[in-house]
Amino acid sequence: MAAVAAKRIKRVAAGQHGFLSLNHTREQNSSRIGKRKRVNRNKKKNWNKYSDIQDIEDFLDDVRLQERATGGLLSEKPDDSLFFVDTGDQNKVAQEAPVTKRGKSSKPLRVDLILQHDSLVPSPKDILAHQQPNAKKLRRISQRVEKQVAKGLQLRSQKQLQRRKAGGATSSSEKSLPDDDPSRPFYDIWGQEEMLSGDAFYLEQTKKKPVKRPDRLNEKPSSLPAVEIIGPGGSYNPDFFDHQALLLEAHMVEEKKQKEELKLAQQLAVRKEDIATEETIFQEQVEGLVEEDDEEEDEPKGEEEPKGSAPAVGREKKTERQRKREKAQKEREKEKRTQRELVDQRQQLFQLRSIRADLKRREQRTRQKQAQYQAQKEAQKFCPQRLGKLKFQAPDLEVQLSDELSGSLRTLKPEGSILKDRFKSLQKRNIIEPRERAKFIRRNKVKYVEKRAFKAIT
Amino acid sequence: MGGLQKKKYESGSATNYVTRNKARKKLQLSLADFRRLCILKGIYPHEPKRKKKVNKGSTAPRTFYLVKDIRFLLHEPIVAKFREYKVFVRKLRKAYGKSEWGGVQRLRENKPVYKLDHIVKERYPTFIDALRDLDDALSMCFLFSTFARTGKCHVQTIQLCRRLSVEWMNYIVMSRSLRKVFLSIKGIYYQAEVLGQTVTWVVPYQFAHNHPTDVDYRVMATFTEFYTTLLGFVNFRLYQTLNLLYPPKVWYGALGLDACYKNNDETQTLHKDLLPSFQEDAEALVVREKEQKEQDSLKNLFEGLKFFLNREVPREPLAFLLRCFGAQVSWEKSLCIGSTYDVNDETITHQVVDRPNVDKKYINRYYIQPQWVFDCVNSRIRLPVEDYFPGVTLPPHLSPFVEHKEGDYVPPEKLRLMSLQRGERPGEDEDGGDDDGEEEEDDDDDMDDEEATDEKNLKLMEKQKSQGKALSVTVTPGKVKQENKMRLEQEEKAEEKRLAIMMMKKKEKYLYDKIVFGKKRKVREANKLAAKRKAHDDACKADKKKKKKKTTGRE
């Protein structure tokens, strides 16, 4: 809106006689002298755009200023209030001093005359001064106050004063202290007993008591100790064999890595015989194109073989007799089976011992399996779990080679960083998942364009 | 068919877990805020047993949270604060963009702030729970207090961590609870016993570090936020148990512990172990009393000694350690505030130096390398000072966290230590695994020797008799053979053991033989290593002698 108004003013000002605009002066002058846009100023649309009332506004502002400041239009004021005749006679001034009579009001002081408000704009009305108290209301207010005092309650004003006295400033200071302020105060968080009593659900729903934390969350996600102490070989001045043991460990890790690399290389290795030579390429290209005598001998041998298979025998329908025979056979087998089962059941009585042994063996196996499963579960608690896209990468062992070992604390060069160690320990104990830094991937291709100005040059 | 069939993945483990993104959307938080919330509340992702089921048939690796955990998170009041903060950031950015500096100031003054007190109370309902989890908190606070104040993480956090770590060290000094210390190439490991709980923490060296780039600083800052709150409350409670005023008026630049800050005028009372008293029999009582005596003597290890730390030794760990065991410490005035006496003080008993040669030497004080202090603390006695003079090759610094089992290789330094420890207390019986094994072996050896000598004597006598000589045996009044009670007991025990071995079944005997073989193999290896070490030492000695001869020969 402001921009539009500014534009309008600019345009109007530019249209005025004798006004020169800053931009494109020459162009405008050369192209627009004598050419003025023909506008119908009688249309409502153009009243605001093309009419200029600045002079009237100025005049009215002037009138209002006079009314405000000097108490009416200066042109309507009597001559005496504005001017005085300077006779230049000092004696006359001394004579004109009036004799002050006691009891009678003297002329008003000059100061008062100057300072009296003579503006035509009246001062605003003080509404509160006009308000007359309602007797009924006043009576009720006084009765209420009496009742409160009789009950022993404090008046609102008194309460506010007391609150102020107690230290209303503390609330703002508490609010402003963030958590990591170095001078933040602490208190006994475990010493205060619970005051609230009542229905747990009600208290939780009304947010008077926090929701109970599930017990599952109090278990630690891993049984590893929080601070894993480095072995005796990691001392700054270690014993020889302890140091060797540590070096051996580091050596094993490196060996393992090398082995894996070797394995990969082996799998990807290409035999020398498989590499294509010119001969083999030529052979491939020429395959099947060259006809030789040997090929004709091979062909008849190939033709004889498929003849060996016997033709499928045409089936006839089964006769009634055959069906009956099959049925009887089936029934006989069934009977045999049931008989056998009955006999087996009776014989089981004599197999009790072996049955017991069998059961024992089975139970033992299940117990073993259960123990194994429990052991596995326990062992799982000591391993870093797979919690996300990335697997846990074990940190490098902090080792100092024999020639890097310094005998004294002064020349010690610390190995590894505790920050990284703590971070990895948190990942190992399944508290946070391993993550890597997010890479910046460009979704849109980058285009290089020369600026127009430079294009002209080059 | 009908519509009452059970559909896949609608019940069971598939509905107990929810992926991270779904959980985040349920809580209506950004990923960073979600992670922060999980860290603060102690909600961890779980790996389900049947991944395929939970992931609805796919095996893509995803992060899973339990649905009940996420539902529990919905009740958390600081979630609202996170959202408020997001709105605050947006408004601030707009005000900055419009260059409304008055608005910026107003917004900054009314920045939304949240408190973690209720979360600490919820996660650790009792004080002992908090003590159990103190390892991590301490290590993190000590780590952050060593960061440079460049502004990468809030400087206020670093200051707060520094304050809390100094308060903690103060408490340890006042209560004399430090037990073990280990100087490693990574950092310094401390172990203390606080109200019955063992607390271990690691402190990095004060040298400049290159900060690794693959560590997520936001995550670490969130952890530190929580841990500083926890440590602050724990410190308050611990100071209460010692009847000390909290927060103490300590100079946070140095461990200026000489400042008086108790709220009652009693002299320092050593903190007695508040172990519960229950019905015990006499033996256990005796053992406990012995332990108590040991601990009391440990607490006054350096009592009455006056130390002076030279410029090149690490001031804070040494001052902390020495004060923990009753010594008086000071250092050069120009180094740091809090030094009480100067190097020229005549009553200084020990001066800790790390240079190969010292210029000016006072007569009535020992000049030692800093390892002496650490080794004394670990071995709980005042070691002989000669091994730690400046310029002398130090004995190796052994780790106090290693438990030596039967038959393991024990470095000879440690054996010397143990003998020294025993030498200091002659009349008491040590009950350690090593010693039992060693004693048994000694007994066997002794008995073998005796038998050998007896046999020799008998053979001699038989020879004499066969030769027809009169045996020079006479009847003499008998000597009262003093029966060694201990010896008898041990013999009885050995007899019982032998009987039990005889009565074992074949299978069990087979297993037992295997175990014994394994033990013997360990012992054999240990002996081998010891022999190697001896050979190495002898070679060193020979070299030294040769050198000496050479130098004397030249002169």
Side-chain angles (χ1 to χ4, degrees), chain B residues 205-222:
Chain B
Y205 288 112
Q206 287 288 102
F207 319 134
H209 308 116
N210 297 336
H211 281 271
T213 45
D214 52 352
V215 171
D216 194 347
Y217 278 95
R218 241 187 296 182
V219 162
M220 302 300 264
T222 317

Side-chain angles (χ1 to χ4, degrees), chain B residues 147-184:
Chain B
F147 279 179
R149 293 167 198 211
T150 51
K152 200 168 181 186
C153 42
H154 294 174
V155 178
Q156 290 188 323
T157 315
I158 300 177
Q159 284 176 330
L160 181 63
C161 287
R162 175 79 188 146
R163 164 192 154 192
L164 291 171
S165 46
V166 169
E167 282 174 10
W168 168 260
M169 286 202 279
N170 251 351
Y171 169 77
I172 298 287
V173 164
M174 291 275 102
S175 63
R176 308 274 175 105
S177 352
L178 196 68
R179 297 284 176 261
K180 297 184 185 171
V181 62
F182 179 43
L183 290 165
S184 77

Side-chain angles (χ1 to χ4, degrees), chain B residues 39-54:
Chain B
I39 289 170
L40 290 175
K41 287 283 276 185
I43 306 281
Y44 313 121
H46 287 260
E47 192 191 3
K49 270 182 256 171
R50 312 257 158 76
K51 251 213 201 137
K52 232 179 167 181
K53 269 198 182 172
V54 171

Side-chain angles (χ1 to χ4, degrees), chain B residues 33-203:
Chain B
D33 279 340
F34 176 71
R35 290 197 91 199
R36 196 178 306 149
L37 182 66
C38 284
I39 289 170
L40 290 175
K41 287 283 276 185
I43 306 281
Y44 313 121
H46 287 260
E47 192 191 3
K49 270 182 256 171
R50 312 257 158 76
K51 251 213 201 137
K52 232 179 167 181
K53 269 198 182 172
V54 171
N55 217 350
K56 303 211 169 74
S58 100
T59 45
R62 279 212 173 92
T63 319
F64 292 105
Y65 290 84
L66 285 168
V67 169
K68 291 203 175 155
D69 290 348
I70 302 297
R71 251 188 260 154
F72 171 64
L73 275 180
L74 283 168
H75 294 287
E76 178 56 43
I78 64 172
V79 173
K81 291 282 180 178
F82 283 160
R83 297 188 193 133
E84 268 178 51
Y85 191 80
K86 186 173 102 171
V87 170
F88 161 76
V89 166
R90 190 197 309 152
K91 286 186 181 165
L92 195 66
R93 213 185 319 130
K94 277 201 182 160
Y96 257 108
K98 290 186 184 170
S99 307
E100 290 171 11
W101 307 116
V104 164
Q105 203 183 19
R106 175 181 48 89
L107 284 166
R108 280 240 159 123
E109 277 169 23
N110 299 331
K111 182 174 169 178
V113 158
Y114 58 85
K115 290 225 171 259
L116 298 172
D117 305 357
H118 63 284
I119 300 186
V120 171
K121 183 85 200 306
E122 175 199 303
R123 277 177 79 170
Y124 306 106
T126 64
F127 181 50
I128 299 293
D129 293 332
L131 279 182
R132 277 195 213 115
D133 251 6
L134 211 50
D135 296 356
D136 239 340
L138 279 171
S139 305
M140 203 66 100
C141 279
F142 274 94
L143 169 68
F144 263 68
S145 61
T146 59
F147 279 179
R149 293 167 198 211
T150 51
K152 200 168 181 186
C153 42
H154 294 174
V155 178
Q156 290 188 323
T157 315
I158 300 177
Q159 284 176 330
L160 181 63
C161 287
R162 175 79 188 146
R163 164 192 154 192
L164 291 171
S165 46
V166 169
E167 282 174 10
W168 168 260
M169 286 202 279
N170 251 351
Y171 169 77
I172 298 287
V173 164
M174 291 275 102
S175 63
R176 308 274 175 105
S177 352
L178 196 68
R179 297 284 176 261
K180 297 184 185 171
V181 62
F182 179 43
L183 290 165
S184 77
I185 47 181
K186 251 203 288 203
I188 311 181
Y189 289 89
Y190 294 100
Q191 191 176 77
E193 213 178 286
V194 174
L195 298 181
Q197 298 288 332
T198 321
V199 178
T200 322
W201 72 98
V202 61
V203 177

Side-chain angles (χ1 to χ4, degrees), chain A residues 174-192 194 204-205 207 210-214 216-221 225-242 246 373 377 380 384-390 398-400 405 407-426 429-435 437, chain B residues 20 31 35 41-47 49 51 61-63 65-66 68-69 72 75 113-117 121-127 130 133 135-136 139 143 147 154 156-157 159-160 163-164 182-186 189 200 202 204-205 207 211-217 219-220 223 228-229 232-234 236-237 240 246 312 314 354 356 370-371 394-397 399 401-402 409 411 413 529 533:
Chain A
E174 269 176 29
K175 200 176 155 197
S176 64
L177 257 188
D179 247 359
D180 57 354
D181 187 33
S183 55
R184 95 167 249 180
F186 291 101
Y187 54 94
D188 189 7
I189 200 173
W190 290 283
Q192 296 151 3
E194 289 294 326
E204 280 179 11
Q205 288 292 309
K207 304 220 171 155
V211 176
K212 184 172 170 298
R213 187 183 173 91
R216 169 183 12 103
L217 292 172
N218 293 335
E219 290 164 13
K220 292 209 194 136
V227 175
E228 275 179 41
I229 303 166
I230 199 171
S235 156
Y236 89 105
N237 182 9
D239 177 54
F240 178 68
F241 291 114
D242 294 331
L246 189 67
Y373 181 68
K377 247 180 116 174
Q380 270 278 64
Q385 289 177 336
R386 181 80 188 269
L387 291 170
K389 202 162 114 178
L390 297 173
E398 280 98 1
V399 187
Q400 275 191 337
L405 278 177
S408 86
L409 205 51
R410 182 173 48 100
T411 50
L412 170 66
K413 196 158 178 273
E415 197 72 35
S417 134
I418 299 272
L419 177 63
K420 204 166 176 187
D421 165 65
R422 293 274 90 224
F423 189 60
K424 286 282 179 182
S425 161
L426 288 169
R429 280 179 284 146
N430 307 324
I431 295 177
I432 49 179
E433 77 240 25
R435 288 176 88 210
R437 220 189 158 98
Chain B
R20 186 194 64 189
L31 183 59
R35 290 197 91 199
K41 287 283 276 185
I43 306 281
Y44 313 121
H46 287 260
E47 192 191 3
K49 270 182 256 171
K51 251 213 201 137
R62 279 212 173 92
T63 319
Y65 290 84
L66 285 168
K68 291 203 175 155
D69 290 348
F72 171 64
H75 294 287
V113 158
Y114 58 85
K115 290 225 171 259
L116 298 172
D117 305 357
K121 183 85 200 306
E122 175 199 303
R123 277 177 79 170
Y124 306 106
T126 64
F127 181 50
D133 251 6
D135 296 356
D136 239 340
S139 305
L143 169 68
F147 279 179
H154 294 174
Q156 290 188 323
T157 315
Q159 284 176 330
L160 181 63
R163 164 192 154 192
L164 291 171
F182 179 43
L183 290 165
S184 77
I185 47 181
K186 251 203 288 203
Y189 289 89
T200 322
V202 61
Y205 288 112
F207 319 134
H211 281 271
T213 45
D214 52 352
V215 171
D216 194 347
Y217 278 95
V219 162
M220 302 300 264
F223 273 110
T228 48
T229 325
F233 287 123
V234 166
F236 184 94
R237 189 61 184 248
Q240 240 186 19
Y246 185 91
E312 67 274 358
D354 209 358
Q371 203 184 303
L394 291 169
H397 177 62
S399 165
F401 297 105
V402 172
Y409 165 70
E413 283 79 21
L529 286 171
R533 178 62 190 267

Side-chain angles (χ1 to χ4, degrees), chain A residues 106-309:
Chain A
S106 55
K107 265 211 297 201
L109 290 174
R110 188 122 198 117
V111 180
D112 290 336
L113 283 177
I114 295 170
L115 283 179
Q116 80 184 168
H117 102 108
D118 57 351
S119 145
L120 278 180
V121 179
S123 49
K125 215 164 62 165
D126 184 13
I127 302 173
L128 290 175
H130 286 274
Q131 286 180 343
Q132 288 210 334
N134 190 349
K136 199 164 140 192
K137 242 191 192 172
L138 281 175
R139 220 186 312 133
R140 282 200 72 200
I141 290 169
S142 56
Q143 278 175 2
R144 191 150 54 91
V145 167
E146 277 169 20
K147 263 195 245 172
Q148 273 194 336
V149 168
K151 264 199 203 171
L153 296 169
Q154 277 183 322
L155 291 174
R156 188 167 212 206
S157 47
Q158 282 178 355
K159 264 196 256 182
Q160 277 186 336
L161 279 171
Q162 281 218 339
R163 225 179 287 152
R164 254 203 176 164
K165 203 166 108 183
T170 51
S171 57
S172 59
S173 71
E174 269 176 29
K175 200 176 155 197
S176 64
L177 257 188
D179 247 359
D180 57 354
D181 187 33
S183 55
R184 95 167 249 180
F186 291 101
Y187 54 94
D188 189 7
I189 200 173
W190 290 283
Q192 296 151 3
E193 296 304 322
E194 289 294 326
M195 297 296 191
L196 296 166
S197 61
D199 188 31
F201 179 72
Y202 169 74
L203 288 169
E204 280 179 11
Q205 288 292 309
T206 48
K207 304 220 171 155
K208 292 204 180 115
K209 204 173 75 160
V211 176
K212 184 172 170 298
R213 187 183 173 91
D215 284 325
R216 169 183 12 103
L217 292 172
N218 293 335
E219 290 164 13
K220 292 209 194 136
S222 170
S223 315
L224 289 167
V227 175
E228 275 179 41
I229 303 166
I230 199 171
S235 156
Y236 89 105
N237 182 9
D239 177 54
F240 178 68
F241 291 114
D242 294 331
H243 186 238
Q244 292 294 317
L246 189 67
L247 285 174
L248 188 70
E249 264 184 58
H251 174 76
M252 299 294 239
V253 168
E254 289 296 315
E255 243 189 57
K256 219 174 167 187
K257 272 197 233 169
Q258 261 196 348
K259 249 199 214 171
E260 281 188 22
E261 278 180 28
L262 233 125
K263 194 171 159 194
L264 245 154
Q266 267 182 0
Q267 284 178 337
L268 295 171
V270 179
R271 288 189 301 178
K272 272 199 180 155
E273 304 109 43
D274 289 343
I275 301 174
T277 55
E278 277 195 37
E279 272 187 30
T280 53
I281 294 172
F282 183 68
Q283 280 279 337
E284 261 189 69
Q285 287 173 339
V286 149
E287 200 84 39
L289 293 175
V290 179
E291 280 191 24
E292 291 180 22
D293 299 324
D294 299 328
E295 283 188 50
E296 286 181 15
E297 287 180 20
D298 287 338
E299 280 183 37
K301 281 188 197 166
E303 281 181 45
E304 285 173 13
E305 286 170 17
K307 280 191 186 167
S309 58

